[in-house]
Amino acid sequence: MCSSDLRANLPVLFDKHMETALEIIKEIGMETLTPITQISMVQTTCSLLDGLLTKLPESKKDADLIEKVFLFATLWACGGAASADKGTDYRKNYSIAWKAAFKNAVKLPDAGTAFDYFVDPNTAELFNWSARVDEFAPVGDVAFSSIVVATADLTRLTYLMGALVSVQRPVMFVGSVGTGKTTLVRDFLSNLESETMQSATINCNYYTESKDLQTQLEAAIDKRSGRTYGPPSGKRLLYFIDDLNMPLKETYGTQTPIALLRQHVDYSSWFDREDLGLKKLIFDCQYVAGMNHKAGSFTINPRLQRHFATFGCSMPSEVDMKLVFHQILDNHLSNFPNEVQMKIGPIVEATIAVYKEMASRFLPSATKFHYNFNMRDLSAITQGICLSTPEYHRSGLTICRLWLHECSRVFSDRLISSTEIARCHDILVDVGKRFLDEAPEELFAEPCIFTSFVTTTVDDKPVYLAVEDMAQLKKVANAKLAEYNESMPQMPLVLFDLAVEHVARTTRILSSPRGNALLVGVGGSGKQSLSRLAAFIVNMPVTQLSITSTFGIADLKEELKELYRKAEIGRAHV
């Protein structure tokens, strides 16, 4: 089928199938994660067809293959943003209705949903996305936050994004916290062809204004000639705008950064901030965006939304979660004794079981808005287990107690009452007994505290090990306090058991890459003093901002600039 035949055939397919795909939405009362117009769905279908079909040789463009690819495009364009995070799984319902409506055109297996399958344009074969998932192959000693384990969902969304980016269509991923939107896009950006594509990442927040956004957008482009700006000649620039809907809504509902982006997408230009008579023409730039539909303004201006091909990111299935964390632990524990490696499966099962129990029993509310458990918590537990070393963690009991400690830190430390903490402990005990084949009196023996500053090793390197008893932990903490008082302003502290435990918790967070902590407590409970001691233990300098009644955002920015300047000077001296 030549290009002219293809142009003649596509209108027939639109007349035959497009209206049916859109009617399904009305029949099932489908809700989308963010409002999407039908014309935008049609436009996304066209863009997907453009990205998938234009790369095919003319010899492979037969009528049957074109129809199957067309149906695949309509499936994702119309149902890709269906809501699946409430009581009703609209994505599943759309899949059932779609299979029934198009059963004569494309026959899909009964197992799974329609979104699990795809017709390969190159071979015309039907395959499950799980068959196209790349094996996990970590490269060297990478940071835990940089590890990406491919799943079926990651693979198909990356494929769709690649097809749309190739035809310069803006793409948006919508999902709640922890669904992997940022990881998905950053992994895609890291694999761009550097010879033809560049990328720039911009994070929006509540205080982002159009001027701030324009400054960041212009930082990635150069002047070409006259009023024309863009990336270096011969290249395209892909902006990743994360948390697009976070900026403040003004009195009449306007978000100035959104208005600026719409101006660029609609007219390929924006005005210079210094010379309002200068209209800059911005070429060879395109957008990928991430948006949390449960935060910020929840939605964005429809005039900008209509330009984006929108897909939903949901929490991974239990199968995917097991795959991800099993592969990470399997890689890390590959050099450990067999007794430890045998615990990988049970630990993964137990971690997911604890997560499901916590997510169902401890629900967020107005006073407990932080009771929001997601994939990041599972990652934090796995990251803690990956601090183990084959020289010092040689038994199944040791690795299981490390798992118990990390679960306590990730889940229990977030709870606000002793009653809820006791309930969390009961969950850990119940799950531990069900999945971990260890003697309960040894597995749940107190104290269960791991630190990297109590036990000394032969080469004096920090190793994440369990403390023998509270007396040992208090002795080391008091010794560190004495060292602090010798070189710093005096802190006359009495380190009782709970205070020492807080120090151990804080040092664990500070020692972790990208570790940040929010300590909540009444005045005089020791937040500042114990934080200073914990920072001293892990050799981190402490800077305290002087907050006054007139301290504003501009002051905070200046303080941060000064801290950054000092840090740069410190690196230069090293």
Side-chain angles (χ1 to χ4, degrees), residues 222-521:
D222 302 316
K223 184 175 182 178
R224 291 181 174 177
S225 62
R227 298 184 299 144
T228 305
Y229 294 77
S233 180
K235 293 188 177 184
R236 295 196 60 82
L237 176 63
L238 182 58
Y239 287 112
F240 172 39
I241 315 272
D242 206 3
D243 292 324
L244 180 60
N245 62 323
M246 286 301 292
L248 166 70
K249 269 192 176 182
E250 297 180 344
T251 305
Y252 298 102
T254 303
Q255 292 171 283
T256 56
I258 303 299
L260 176 69
L261 288 179
R262 188 188 69 81
Q263 182 181 8
H264 180 216
V265 175
D266 279 340
Y267 305 108
S268 299
S269 64
W270 57 60
F271 288 91
D272 185 81
R273 288 280 172 174
E274 303 298 330
D275 181 6
L276 297 180
L278 173 60
K279 186 177 183 181
K280 296 181 177 180
L281 303 179
I282 315 298
F283 294 122
D284 298 327
C285 297
Q286 58 193 102
Y287 294 98
V288 173
M291 191 172 83
N292 181 0
H293 63 296
K294 295 183 178 180
S297 61
F298 307 117
T299 61
I300 61 171
N301 191 315
R303 292 184 174 183
L304 178 64
Q305 181 72 64
R306 66 189 174 91
H307 289 291
F308 283 88
T310 307
F311 305 111
C313 292
S314 57
M315 283 294 294
S317 65
E318 187 171 331
V319 174
D320 283 341
M321 287 192 286
K322 290 179 181 178
L323 171 69
V324 169
F325 297 110
H326 193 287
Q327 292 196 39
I328 292 175
L329 289 179
D330 188 56
N331 174 74
H332 175 74
L333 300 176
S334 59
N335 296 325
F336 284 64
N338 187 60
E339 180 183 350
V340 175
Q341 295 183 36
M342 293 289 289
K343 295 296 181 182
I344 295 175
I347 284 177
V348 173
E349 296 274 359
T351 304
I352 295 175
V354 171
Y355 159 73
K356 291 168 66 176
E357 289 285 341
M358 295 296 297
S360 61
R361 294 195 190 185
F362 297 91
L363 302 176
S365 66
T367 57
K368 302 173 184 177
F369 58 89
H370 58 291
Y371 283 20
N372 187 5
F373 304 104
N374 51 53
M375 281 280 286
R376 292 179 181 176
D377 301 305
L378 300 179
S379 298
I381 294 171
T382 306
Q383 182 178 11
I385 297 174
C386 288
L387 295 175
S388 57
T389 55
E391 296 83 6
Y392 297 96
H393 301 79
R394 304 191 60 81
S395 69
L397 176 63
T398 302
I399 207 71
C400 288
R401 281 182 59 79
L402 176 57
W403 166 84
L404 179 64
H405 173 262
E406 294 306 305
C407 286
S408 297
R409 299 288 70 79
V410 171
F411 293 119
S412 180
D413 287 355
R414 192 182 303 179
L415 306 179
I416 64 175
S417 70
S418 56
T419 303
E420 292 183 332
I421 293 174
R423 286 173 58 196
C424 177
H425 178 72
D426 292 341
I427 291 173
L428 294 177
V429 170
D430 177 65
V431 172
K433 288 180 178 179
R434 281 193 286 131
F435 291 97
L436 307 178
D437 186 19
E438 297 292 337
E441 61 274 8
E442 295 180 357
L443 177 59
F444 303 110
E446 295 291 344
C448 183
I449 301 175
F450 281 71
T451 72
S452 56
F453 66 89
V454 171
T455 306
T456 57
T457 59
V458 176
D459 51 5
D460 290 330
K461 289 185 178 180
V463 180
Y464 202 51
L465 296 173
V467 299
E468 297 176 1
D469 50 43
M470 287 301 298
Q472 180 194 26
L473 181 58
K474 289 177 68 175
K475 179 180 178 181
V476 175
N478 279 297
K480 294 292 184 180
L481 177 61
E483 290 181 27
Y484 178 93
N485 288 333
E486 289 177 0
S487 56
M488 301 286 184
Q490 289 284 314
M491 283 199 307
L493 301 179
V494 176
L495 297 179
F496 49 91
D497 287 359
L498 189 57
V500 172
E501 291 178 12
H502 284 321
V503 171
R505 293 180 180 121
T506 309
T507 55
R508 169 186 170 275
I509 296 171
L510 295 179
S511 300
S512 302
R514 304 167 70 182
N516 303 287
L518 175 62
L519 307 183
V520 181

Side-chain angles (χ1 to χ4, degrees), residues 168-180:
Q168 302 171 30
R169 175 73 191 276
V171 186
M172 175 182 291
F173 296 101
V174 183
S176 55
V177 175
T179 52

Side-chain angles (χ1 to χ4, degrees), residues 92 95-96 99 108-117 128 156:
K92 182 179 179 180
S95 169
I96 294 172
K99 281 184 177 182
L108 296 178
D110 293 333
T113 67
F115 298 97
D116 295 330
Y117 299 93
N128 191 305
R156 61 195 177 195

Side-chain angles (χ1 to χ4, degrees), residues 119-263:
V119 178
D120 189 343
N122 294 298
T123 62
E125 294 180 0
L126 182 72
F127 64 81
N128 191 305
W129 281 112
S130 59
R132 299 292 294 266
V133 176
D134 295 331
E135 293 186 4
F136 176 58
V139 181
D141 186 17
V142 299
F144 187 88
S145 59
S146 301
I147 296 176
V148 177
V149 179
T151 63
D153 197 41
L154 180 72
T155 302
R156 61 195 177 195
L157 289 177
T158 301
Y159 181 86
L160 293 168
M161 178 165 43
L164 291 164
V165 167
S166 68
V167 294
Q168 302 171 30
R169 175 73 191 276
V171 186
M172 175 182 291
F173 296 101
V174 183
S176 55
V177 175
T179 52
K181 305 181 297 298
T182 303
T183 300
L184 163 69
V185 179
R186 285 182 176 174
D187 184 56
F188 177 81
L189 297 180
S190 67
N191 294 309
L192 288 176
E193 295 183 7
S194 57
E195 296 181 358
T196 57
M197 294 289 293
Q198 288 185 337
S199 65
T201 299
I202 298 173
N203 295 289
C204 293
N205 56 60
Y206 181 80
Y207 298 103
T208 300
E209 298 179 351
S210 60
K211 182 178 181 180
D212 304 318
L213 179 61
Q214 184 172 338
T215 300
Q216 295 180 75
L217 292 173
E218 292 185 345
I221 58 176
D222 302 316
K223 184 175 182 178
R224 291 181 174 177
S225 62
R227 298 184 299 144
T228 305
Y229 294 77
S233 180
K235 293 188 177 184
R236 295 196 60 82
L237 176 63
L238 182 58
Y239 287 112
F240 172 39
I241 315 272
D242 206 3
D243 292 324
L244 180 60
N245 62 323
M246 286 301 292
L248 166 70
K249 269 192 176 182
E250 297 180 344
T251 305
Y252 298 102
T254 303
Q255 292 171 283
T256 56
I258 303 299
L260 176 69
L261 288 179
R262 188 188 69 81
Q263 182 181 8

